[in-house]
Amino acid sequence: VQFAKNNVELIGLLKFDFLGLRTLTVLRDTAAMVLENHNRIIDYDRIPMDDLAVFTMISEGRTEAVFQLESPGMTSFMKELRPESLEDIIAGLSLYRPGPMDQIPRYVAAKHDPEKIRYDHPLLEPILNVTYGCLVYQEQVMQVVRDLAGFSMGQSDNVRRAMSKKKPAELAKYKNLFIHGGVDEKNNPVDGALARGVSLQVAEKIFEDVMAFAGYAFPKGHAAAYAVVAYQTAWLKIHYPVEFMAAMLNSYLGSLSQAASYVRVCRNMSIGILPPDINSSEARFKTENGSIRFALAAVKNVGESAIRSLISERQENGPFKSFGDLLRRMDESMLNRKMVESLIRASALDSLGVRRSQMIAVIEPFSSRLASSRRLNMAGQVSLFEMGAIDQVTEAEPEYPELPEFSHRELLGMEKEMLGLYISGHPLDEYETAISLFATLNSSAFSAPSDNPEEELRPAAVTDGDRVIMAGMLVGRKNKTTKNNEQMSFLTIEDLYGLFEVIAFPRVLSDAQAMLREGQVLLIGGRLSIREDDAPKLIAETIALLEADMRRLPTGFEMRMPTSGAQRLQKHAAAQPTDAAAEQKQAGDAKHRTEQAVSSGKPKIRLCIRYSGLEQDEGYKRLLAMLQYFHGVVPVRIYLEQEERLVDLDQVFAVDLDDDLLGIVAVRYGSGNLALLADP
C-alpha cells in the first residue's frame, strides 16, 4: 500500500519484509550446475544440517563467500566460537551486532566451559540454556515475561514490539506489572514475578537486563533464516566448490570489480580461473574440467546481443579457427570493430595464437577490406577480374605486421580495463612476499560483499584510530587545497584484495611527492579513520616505496608494529651497516655463522616458531613463503598451538639465521613465540 507502515499497522494490517537476497540466486544457480555436471539434484530442504565438515570449515575461519560469515570480524568470532550446530550459528548472527557484542566473551566462555553458565533464577534455565545463560533473542524476552511474571502471549508480544521499535520508555511501563503483578491496559490479570517465587532483588535485576537488551534485541526467526542460508552456502562450498564459486561470480556479473576478491578466493581454494575465450566461454561463468571459465558477458563494450550472435554462430558452424575466420564469420552488424578490440584486450582471443598487438593493428584495414567486398557482392558489381581478389579477402588471413607484444603490465592493464579485474596475473604478484612480510592489514578488512540489509548495524572488523601498515599500487590521485592554501591528496590504492583510500595531508604529501606516481607500489603506515557515515580510510603518516625483494622495514614504520617487534627491529636497525660493502660483509658473516652452526661438531641449531592458527590458514602459507624467501640451511619447527602438535618442515623451508629474518618473525608472530634451540 502507499501509506506509512505505522499508519497501516494502526488499522490492523500486518507488515511483511520480503528480502531479495543475491545468495538465493546463487543457491539456485549452483543447484542447476550440479545437476548438469554431476546429474545430482540438490534439495536444500533435505541436506544434512549436522555436517561436521561444514562446522570445521567455519571454525577454522575459511568463511570466504559464506553468507553472513565472511566479514573479517565475523570470521574471527566464528574461530573463537567454534560452532558445532546450527543453533550456534543462529546465536552468532544475533550476537555480532553493536549491542549484543558485549555478551560475546560470556557466551564463548560458557559454551566452552559449562561451569561458567549462570542463571539468576531456576525459571530462566529452560529459557536460556540454549544460549548458555545469555539473553540473545526477542523470543527469549517474551518467554521470560510469560514464565516469570505470568504475561499472556499477547502481552509478551507487546513487550517484543516495544523492544523491536527501540522504545525503552514504553517498555519501562511494564516494570511494575512484571515485578508486582496486577492488571494490564485491557484489565487482564498478571501474577507478577514476586507471586511466582522470584525475590524482589532478582526480579528487578532480570527486568533491568531486559531493559538493557531492549535497544538491540534480535528476532531469532530472522537469525535462524539467515543461519540456514549461511549453512547451505558453507555446505555447497565444501561439497561442490567449483559450481558454488562459479555461481558466486555470476552473481557479480554486472559489477566484476566487486568480484575480484572471489577470484582470489578461488585461487586459494586451488580452483583455476580460466580467461575468457572466444571458443570456450559462454555468456556467463561456467565450470570447465574442475576450473571456472570466465564469462563473455563480463567483457566491457560487448553487448548481450553480440554475445548471443557469437555463441550461436560458434554452435552452428564450429569453433573460430583464426582471427581472420572470426572477422569473416561475424560481420560488423553483429560484432563491430570496437567489440572486437575489447575482446582482444580482455584476452578472449589469445587462444588464436596471434599477439594482441598484431590483432589490434589489423582490425581496421582487414575489416575495411571485408566490408568493401561484402558491399560489392551485395550490389552484384563484381567483375570477372575482381572475383579472384574478393575470394582472397574472404579466405585469407590478415597481413600481421612484425610488432612486439605489449609488456606484461600493459597486458594486465588491458584485462583490468575490460573485465574489472586481472585474470592472467596481478601487477602485485611479484610483491606478494614483501607485502605479506610487512603489511599488517589489507583492503578486505574494510568491506566484504554482504546481503544483509541491516549491515550498517554490524560492527566494523577494524576500529577507528588503529595504527596499521598497508601496501598496494597507486591507481588514482585527487588533489585538494586546504584552508591554509597547502596541498593534500586523496590516493586510491589497489592491493591484492581490492581498493582502499588513503588521505595524505600536506606534511606527508610533501615528503612523499616524488614517489606518488600512478603504478608505483607503496608501503603506507598510518592510522585508520572509521566513520559510520563514510567509507574507511587510511590517514597516511609515513609512505615509502615497496621493493619486491625488500627484507627490512623502512625507517619510520616501526611505531606501527607490536611493541616487542618494534623494539627488536629498532635494535637491528641501529646495528645495520651504512654502506654496501659493510652490508655484504654482514650477510656473509650471517651465512658463515649459519653454516658453522650446522656443519660443525657443535649441536645443530633449529628455529622454532609457535603459530596460533591452523595449517590450512592463509597466514600459515604466508609463513612458509617467508621462510622460503630467507632460504638457508637451518631447519625450522612449527608448533601449531590450536592443534597442539609439532611440524618439522622440509629442508626447502630451512633458513639462514639472518638478523632481518629474526626481526621480521619477531614482529609478525611475537618475540615470545620465537626460539632458537639446539638439537640433541
Side-chain angles (χ1 to χ4, degrees), residues 33 37 236-237 239-247 269 271-272 286-292:
M33 281 189 272
N37 294 345
L236 289 174
K237 186 179 177 184
H239 296 287
Y240 299 102
V242 181
E243 289 80 5
F244 172 62
M245 293 308 299
M269 294 169 64
I271 299 173
K286 68 167 190 172
T287 60
E288 185 178 313
N289 300 323
S291 298
I292 297 174

Side-chain angles (χ1 to χ4, degrees), residues 101-138:
M101 282 192 81
D102 295 339
Q103 294 265 39
I104 286 178
R106 177 184 169 192
Y107 185 93
V108 172
K111 178 185 183 302
H112 298 308
D113 183 1
E115 291 187 2
K116 294 182 178 178
I117 298 175
R118 296 287 183 270
Y119 301 104
D120 290 326
H121 192 277
L123 287 174
L124 291 175
E125 183 170 355
I127 303 171
L128 303 182
N129 59 2
V130 72
T131 50
Y132 310 106
C134 299
L135 194 61
V136 176
Y137 310 116
Q138 289 181 8

Side-chain angles (χ1 to χ4, degrees), residues 456-458 460 464 501 529-537:
E456 69 274 8
L457 298 176
R458 303 174 81 81
D464 187 50
E501 189 173 38
S529 174
I530 310 293
R531 300 286 185 268
E532 290 184 6
D533 56 349
D534 200 5
K537 294 177 176 60

Side-chain angles (χ1 to χ4, degrees), residues 250 253 281-285 295-298 307 311:
N250 276 325
L253 198 54
S281 292
E282 301 294 338
R284 293 164 62 80
F285 288 90
L296 286 178
I307 293 169
I311 293 174

Side-chain angles (χ1 to χ4, degrees), residues 154-436:
Q155 290 163 337
S156 70
D157 191 53
N158 288 336
V159 175
R160 179 202 62 78
R161 287 168 61 84
M163 293 175 62
S164 64
K165 304 299 180 186
K166 298 178 174 62
K167 296 180 178 178
E170 187 176 326
L171 190 62
K173 70 182 182 182
Y174 292 107
K175 181 173 183 178
N176 190 65
L177 195 62
F178 175 83
I179 296 174
H180 300 285
V183 294
D184 64 11
E185 60 272 14
K186 294 183 179 180
N187 289 319
N188 295 315
V190 175
D191 293 343
L194 297 180
R196 296 201 168 191
V198 182
S199 70
L200 177 62
Q201 183 179 1
V202 171
E204 287 183 337
K205 180 183 183 304
I206 292 173
F207 193 83
E208 290 304 320
D209 289 344
V210 170
M211 282 288 292
F213 190 64
Y216 53 72
F218 201 70
K220 186 175 184 180
H222 186 155
Y226 270 23
V228 168
V229 177
Y231 179 91
Q232 289 169 343
T233 55
W235 186 87
L236 289 174
K237 186 179 177 184
I238 286 284
H239 296 287
Y240 299 102
V242 181
E243 289 80 5
F244 172 62
M245 293 308 299
M248 283 295 297
L249 290 170
N250 276 325
S251 75
Y252 286 96
L253 198 54
S255 181
L256 279 177
S257 58
Q258 296 181 51
S261 61
Y262 290 128
V263 170
R264 184 157 290 275
V265 169
C266 289
R267 289 171 176 155
N268 290 340
M269 294 169 64
S270 300
I271 299 173
I273 300 292
L274 306 176
D277 185 84
I278 200 74
N279 285 322
S280 300
S281 292
E282 301 294 338
R284 293 164 62 80
F285 288 90
K286 68 167 190 172
T287 60
E288 185 178 313
N289 300 323
S291 298
I292 297 174
R293 175 67 71 177
F294 217 85
L296 286 178
V299 180
K300 188 178 178 181
N301 302 325
V302 184
E304 184 181 342
S305 176
I307 293 169
R308 283 201 306 266
S309 298
L310 190 150
I311 293 174
S312 176
E313 168 64 25
R314 189 181 72 198
Q315 291 171 342
E316 290 178 14
N317 299 306
F320 300 102
K321 299 179 179 64
S322 65
F323 185 51
D325 185 40
L326 171 68
L327 295 180
R328 287 191 294 271
R329 289 165 57 182
M330 298 294 296
D331 65 46
E332 291 197 56
S333 65
M334 297 184 289
L335 195 69
N336 64 38
R337 300 175 195 190
K338 184 177 182 180
M339 294 176 182
V340 173
E341 182 171 348
S342 296
L343 289 168
I344 293 170
R345 297 171 73 85
S347 79
L349 305 187
D350 285 5
S351 62
L352 298 179
V354 183
R355 296 172 187 163
R356 292 187 208 175
S357 60
Q358 293 175 312
M359 287 188 281
I360 290 174
V362 301
I363 292 174
E364 193 66 33
F366 192 71
S367 295
S368 296
R369 290 172 62 194
L370 286 174
S372 178
S373 69
R374 286 173 184 139
R375 282 196 301 271
L376 291 174
N377 269 327
M378 290 175 64
Q381 297 175 358
V382 182
S383 70
L384 183 63
F385 299 102
E386 291 172 324
M387 288 181 64
I390 296 295
D391 289 342
Q392 288 179 358
V393 173
T394 56
E395 294 178 5
E397 280 296 292
E399 295 180 5
Y400 299 109
E402 282 299 323
L403 292 174
E405 183 58 290
F406 298 111
S407 70
H408 181 60
R409 176 163 284 200
E410 287 174 318
L411 293 174
L412 291 176
M414 291 177 179
E415 295 171 11
K416 178 67 180 294
E417 178 189 2
M418 292 296 111
L419 300 173
L421 47 83
Y422 301 104
I423 292 300
S424 58
H426 195 288
L428 293 175
D429 283 344
E430 62 182 298
Y431 296 87
E432 189 166 8
T433 298
I435 290 173
S436 69

